[in-house]
Amino acid sequence: MNGFEKRANQIKAKIMKTTLEMLRASDPKKVRIADISKLAKVSQVTIYNYFGSKEELIREVFKNYFDKTIRDFEEYMNEGHSLKEKIEHIILLEKESYKDFTPGLIKQLITEDNELSQYIERQYRETTIPLTVRIINEGKESGEISENVTVENVLAFIQLYMNQYESILEMAQKSGDTDNFLEGMVHMFFYGVCGKR
């Protein structure tokens, strides 16, 4: 990479970081190129040259964030952790990602951007599901998941949790001890309300 390319990548990264910070605090419809330009200390022309439009910029920010989350997750999965540690890590990732992209924001972005919706669906199908199945199979091989439980059972159970994660996180925050609450949810995920059999 030559000096020009390196500089261009640094400018793009700064624009995307600024946009992410603005999305954390504001509705995408209220985010303006003029405001991004001011905060990132680059011209509006520069932003349009790199991204073409506000919609494309927001799409790239979301894709970049999603890709990095998956890469970090895959690295963690390859470090030899127990199944319980992996599930705890998934819940922690969900908790952290909701600080950046709330479920409402994600739904809004997906509804309004067909290309982004297709991208998320493809990543879910091609990366997230196979990785989750691998984790479950490793858990079955290590004896951490009962032989009476199928991969489909665990996938369904995880989906139930994820479908209600926004509500679970709200309850965790209201409890006054978010980490302890989520630790209890992890315990119930593995052992149910009666504890280990």
Side-chain angles (χ1 to χ4, degrees), residues 60-71:
E60 285 304 308
V61 166
F62 187 80
K63 284 177 165 182
N64 186 63
Y65 181 90
F66 193 75
D67 289 346
K68 183 182 182 313
T69 301
I70 289 178
R71 279 195 312 273

Side-chain angles (χ1 to χ4, degrees), residues 8 15 53 70 80 86 89 97 101 105 109 111 131 137 154 174-175 179 191:
I15 293 167
S53 68
I70 289 178
K86 289 172 183 174
H89 187 72
S97 68
F101 291 104
L105 174 59
L109 289 171
T111 302
L131 190 56
N137 283 327
V154 181
K174 286 177 184 173
S175 76
D179 292 336
Y191 313 121

Side-chain angles (χ1 to χ4, degrees), residues 86-122:
K86 289 172 183 174
I87 298 297
E88 285 173 337
H89 187 72
I90 290 169
I91 289 175
L92 177 65
L93 280 178
E94 289 287 327
K95 177 183 161 190
E96 293 304 310
S97 68
Y98 278 28
K99 290 179 183 174
D100 296 317
F101 291 104
T102 64
L105 174 59
I106 293 170
K107 284 176 192 169
Q108 180 183 341
L109 289 171
I110 290 171
T111 302
E112 295 173 359
D113 190 331
N114 189 48
E115 185 180 328
L116 186 57
S117 176
Q118 290 175 357
Y119 170 80
I120 291 169
E121 175 59 34
R122 188 171 60 251

Side-chain angles (χ1 to χ4, degrees), residues 12-165:
K12 283 179 77 173
K14 184 164 73 165
I15 293 167
M16 291 173 75
K17 182 182 177 195
T18 301
T19 305
L20 176 60
E21 288 168 359
M22 292 182 75
L23 287 170
R24 285 176 178 146
S26 183
D27 184 303
K29 290 176 182 172
K30 294 180 181 174
V31 173
R32 299 180 319 140
I33 291 291
D35 298 326
I36 297 168
S37 165
K38 187 176 178 182
L39 283 173
K41 295 184 173 62
V42 298
S43 72
Q44 293 183 47
V45 172
T46 299
I47 295 173
Y48 283 112
N49 283 341
Y50 283 130
F51 298 100
S53 68
K54 183 183 90 168
E55 292 72 26
E56 182 62 28
L57 169 57
I58 290 174
R59 185 182 302 131
E60 285 304 308
V61 166
F62 187 80
K63 284 177 165 182
N64 186 63
Y65 181 90
F66 193 75
D67 289 346
K68 183 182 182 313
T69 301
I70 289 178
R71 279 195 312 273
D72 291 348
F73 180 63
E74 284 180 303
E75 282 178 25
Y76 185 85
M77 293 305 112
N78 292 326
E79 291 173 0
H81 299 281
S82 71
L83 179 68
K84 187 168 185 289
E85 288 170 330
K86 289 172 183 174
I87 298 297
E88 285 173 337
H89 187 72
I90 290 169
I91 289 175
L92 177 65
L93 280 178
E94 289 287 327
K95 177 183 161 190
E96 293 304 310
S97 68
Y98 278 28
K99 290 179 183 174
D100 296 317
F101 291 104
T102 64
L105 174 59
I106 293 170
K107 284 176 192 169
Q108 180 183 341
L109 289 171
I110 290 171
T111 302
E112 295 173 359
D113 190 331
N114 189 48
E115 185 180 328
L116 186 57
S117 176
Q118 290 175 357
Y119 170 80
I120 291 169
E121 175 59 34
R122 188 171 60 251
Q123 288 286 37
Y124 182 74
R125 189 177 60 249
E126 295 175 4
T127 307
T128 308
I129 289 294
L131 190 56
T132 307
V133 169
R134 187 190 116 194
I135 292 166
I136 295 166
N137 283 327
E138 288 172 358
K140 287 176 76 67
E141 287 167 16
S142 68
E144 294 174 275
I145 295 177
S146 168
E147 59 186 27
N148 299 322
V149 177
T150 67
V151 169
E152 291 75 18
N153 292 151
V154 181
L155 284 173
F157 201 57
I158 290 171
Q159 191 61 54
L160 288 171
Y161 260 64
M162 293 301 104
N163 287 348
Q164 295 302 317
Y165 197 77

